[in-house]
Amino acid sequence: MEGRNQTHVTEFILLGLSDQGEQQSLLFWLFLSMYLVTFTGNLLMILAIIMDSRLHTPMYFFLSNLCFSDICFTSTTVPKMLLNIQMQSKVITYEACLSQMYFFMLLGVLDNILLTVMAYDRFVAICHPLHYMVIMNPKFCGILLLGSWILSVLDSLLHDLLILRLSFCTDLEILHFFCELKQVIQLACSDRFLNDLAVYLVSGLLGVVPLTGILFSYSRIVTSILRISSVRGKYKAFSTCGSHLSVVSLFYATGLGVYLSSAAAQNPRASAIASVMYTVVTPMLNPFIYGLRNRDIKQALGKLFSRGRSLHIGFFVLR
């Protein structure tokens, strides 16, 4: 019974993406590169939006928050994985595992809700352009952002509190590169019915409801675009949504696939590899998808780099 006592659990073992020792160096440099690209790309997007007054609109307000969320989201998992590879250790403490799960779920749900809010923003902009600035006023945008954070905090807090009631056996190996909720639950020796119920009900609810909102928004958007007579007008309207739709498709296809697919549940290693898509690849691609295809962002980034070069030259002149 002592081995089943949760108070004696001090650490878990993260087995990572591969058992092959010779692949660890490749994984280290691959994930380090992706993390640096993710961090730098999203940070530049945030700075460009802050520095350019033309981008102080609801769409870019939510985009900057999405970029911030993506930086934090990736930072909850990748640095620990890189540290474990570098230190040749697979250990994560029980407290660190709980903290990692909490922030991972919080930021993952926040990403999900922000994508839904951004779909609503595009719906108002295209379907009700004359009332856009009235509906999407600063106060309402702040309420939407605050609500997104509150829902995310409550969801992650619920799952973490339910984990605290579990007792674990001696087998504490996690077939993942981070503390993934479902795999941690599967390690429990005690009754995990409430945990499984919360995963499928709450996570399903926070997946299905936002997805339904996104689909509804885009159904109305497509209907409105088809009513536009000119081809140029249709292209311009759709171009404002194409980037967001690409990210949404990638996020939901990988995220829901991992959590709701029975095939992924039967193969934890395949689930870990698939999760790389929404934990690392999607946040890395967001600045490219949103920024490089957007003229306003390109101009803002150009001004940011020009200002950076001017400051750099001024610094050397003063020296």
Side-chain angles (χ1 to χ4, degrees), residues 102 106 149-159 202 206:
Y102 175 80
L106 188 157
W149 274 98
I150 291 174
L151 284 175
S152 304
V153 167
L154 291 177
D155 173 68
S156 55
L157 186 61
L158 170 65
H159 290 298
V202 180
L206 290 175

Side-chain angles (χ1 to χ4, degrees), residues 94-156:
Y94 177 76
E95 293 78 10
C97 187
L98 284 177
S99 299
Q100 189 180 65
M101 281 192 295
Y102 175 80
F103 287 107
F104 179 81
M105 289 182 288
L106 188 157
L107 295 161
V109 172
L110 182 62
D111 262 15
N112 183 21
I113 299 176
L114 284 175
L115 288 173
T116 308
V117 171
M118 293 172 73
Y120 175 74
D121 172 78
R122 292 298 83 205
F123 160 72
V124 177
I126 294 174
C127 299
H128 305 283
L130 298 179
H131 301 93
Y132 177 68
M133 294 309 298
V134 176
I135 297 174
M136 301 301 294
N137 59 76
K139 182 179 179 180
F140 184 59
C141 290
I143 291 173
L144 288 175
L145 181 62
L146 179 62
S148 301
W149 274 98
I150 291 174
L151 284 175
S152 304
V153 167
L154 291 177
D155 173 68
S156 55

Side-chain angles (χ1 to χ4, degrees), residues 244-256:
H244 176 260
L245 194 56
S246 300
V247 173
V248 167
S249 301
L250 184 61
F251 182 86
Y252 274 98
T254 55
L256 290 180

Side-chain angles (χ1 to χ4, degrees), residues 266-277:
Q266 293 171 6
N267 190 343
R269 185 73 72 182
S271 173
I273 295 173
S275 68
V276 173
M277 290 297 294

Side-chain angles (χ1 to χ4, degrees), residues 11-299:
E11 61 188 28
F12 293 98
I13 307 297
L14 297 173
L15 297 182
L17 296 174
S18 174
D19 296 325
Q20 305 298 321
E22 60 272 13
Q23 294 180 357
Q24 298 304 306
S25 179
L26 174 63
L27 287 173
F28 177 84
W29 290 110
L30 177 62
F31 275 81
L32 177 61
S33 301
M34 290 193 293
Y35 179 69
L36 291 176
V37 171
T38 301
F39 190 93
T40 305
N42 282 285
L43 181 60
L44 287 175
M45 289 281 289
I46 294 172
L47 292 176
I49 293 171
I50 291 174
M51 300 295 290
D52 195 330
S53 59
R54 296 177 307 161
L55 302 184
H56 294 174
T57 63
M59 180 178 75
Y60 294 111
F61 170 72
F62 292 119
L63 178 56
S64 63
N65 279 277
L66 180 68
C67 291
F68 173 75
S69 177
D70 281 340
I71 290 175
C72 299
F73 184 58
T74 309
S75 298
T76 61
T77 57
V78 177
K80 177 59 179 175
M81 175 191 181
L82 297 176
L83 179 64
N84 282 0
I85 293 176
Q86 190 67 18
M87 301 295 293
Q88 296 184 350
S89 171
K90 298 182 178 181
V91 173
I92 182 170
T93 64
Y94 177 76
E95 293 78 10
C97 187
L98 284 177
S99 299
Q100 189 180 65
M101 281 192 295
Y102 175 80
F103 287 107
F104 179 81
M105 289 182 288
L106 188 157
L107 295 161
V109 172
L110 182 62
D111 262 15
N112 183 21
I113 299 176
L114 284 175
L115 288 173
T116 308
V117 171
M118 293 172 73
Y120 175 74
D121 172 78
R122 292 298 83 205
F123 160 72
V124 177
I126 294 174
C127 299
H128 305 283
L130 298 179
H131 301 93
Y132 177 68
M133 294 309 298
V134 176
I135 297 174
M136 301 301 294
N137 59 76
K139 182 179 179 180
F140 184 59
C141 290
I143 291 173
L144 288 175
L145 181 62
L146 179 62
S148 301
W149 274 98
I150 291 174
L151 284 175
S152 304
V153 167
L154 291 177
D155 173 68
S156 55
L157 186 61
L158 170 65
H159 290 298
D160 250 28
L161 290 176
L162 287 175
I163 288 290
L164 290 174
R165 57 179 286 275
L166 295 178
S167 300
F168 294 92
C169 302
T170 54
D171 183 13
L172 300 174
E173 294 182 343
I174 302 174
L175 281 168
H176 220 300
F177 65 95
F178 66 93
C179 286
E180 200 270 335
L181 177 63
K182 285 183 64 178
Q183 293 201 31
V184 172
I185 292 173
Q186 289 172 2
L187 295 177
C189 295
S190 56
D191 180 36
R192 52 180 188 246
F193 173 76
L194 287 178
N195 299 79
D196 291 332
L197 186 65
V199 168
Y200 286 104
L201 287 184
V202 180
S203 301
L205 187 66
L206 290 175
V208 173
V209 173
L211 181 58
T212 302
I214 291 173
L215 292 176
F216 173 78
S217 297
Y218 273 103
S219 67
R220 297 294 300 274
I221 288 172
V222 170
T223 303
S224 296
I225 291 177
L226 292 177
R227 292 174 183 167
I228 300 175
S229 55
S230 66
V231 176
R232 184 177 181 181
K234 290 180 179 179
Y235 175 78
K236 184 178 180 180
F238 183 75
S239 64
T240 63
C241 307
S243 300
H244 176 260
L245 194 56
S246 300
V247 173
V248 167
S249 301
L250 184 61
F251 182 86
Y252 274 98
T254 55
L256 290 180
V258 168
Y259 281 97
L260 302 180
S261 169
S262 58
Q266 293 171 6
N267 190 343
R269 185 73 72 182
S271 173
I273 295 173
S275 68
V276 173
M277 290 297 294
Y278 73 90
T279 57
V280 183
V281 176
T282 299
M284 180 182 69
L285 293 179
N286 281 353
F288 296 99
I289 295 174
Y290 280 107
L292 298 182
R293 296 177 58 184
N294 186 299
R295 183 186 304 173
D296 293 333
I297 289 290
K298 286 182 181 179
Q299 293 176 355

